[in-house]
Amino acid sequence: MARLSAVVAVVLVAALVAAETASAAVSCSQVTSAVAPCLGYAMGSSASPSPACCNGVRSLNSRASSTADRQAACACLKSMAGRLGGNMGNAAASIPSKCGVNVGVPISPNVDCAKIN
């Protein structure tokens, strides 16, 4: 009977860890929605990030609270940066600082998202 209890306990702990891991990551659609208002500035058609852009960056920053969240956000931002290519310049990388937010996720096609904590 003790052995059955131990097995049940291990299964419950594993299920809880798996559930937390599965729900931890921020989806790419959430990241895309948050930073979509920033594209004008990132592409050079606006002189500064809009209030909607800064609100999106703040929202993303508050959602990406775990390492898994930040790595998922990083991967999405990296993919977006890669698709925009050279058109983006340094403007996109400066958005968090211009909005007064430290997101801890660089916006660059060259970042190693596995190293994001």
Side-chain angles (χ1 to χ4, degrees), residues 38-74:
C38 302
L39 287 178
Y41 176 73
M43 300 297 289
S45 62
S46 298
S48 63
S50 68
C53 170
C54 291
N55 288 338
V57 170
R58 282 186 202 94
S59 171
L60 178 58
N61 189 47
S62 67
R63 279 191 230 153
S65 58
S66 71
T67 298
D69 291 337
R70 288 185 291 279
Q71 289 177 344
C74 174

Side-chain angles (χ1 to χ4, degrees), residues 7-108:
V7 169
V8 169
V10 168
V11 169
L12 285 175
V13 169
L16 288 173
V17 169
E20 184 174 328
T21 302
S23 66
V26 173
S27 73
C28 201
S29 64
Q30 290 171 319
V31 173
T32 302
S33 294
V35 300
C38 302
L39 287 178
Y41 176 73
M43 300 297 289
S45 62
S46 298
S48 63
S50 68
C53 170
C54 291
N55 288 338
V57 170
R58 282 186 202 94
S59 171
L60 178 58
N61 189 47
S62 67
R63 279 191 230 153
S65 58
S66 71
T67 298
D69 291 337
R70 288 185 291 279
Q71 289 177 344
C74 174
C76 186
L77 291 170
K78 180 177 180 175
S79 174
M80 290 172 68
R83 285 193 306 267
L84 296 174
N87 296 333
M88 210 168 66
N90 293 325
S94 72
I95 291 171
S97 65
K98 295 224 179 231
C99 291
V101 180
N102 180 10
V103 295
V105 179
I107 302 171
S108 166

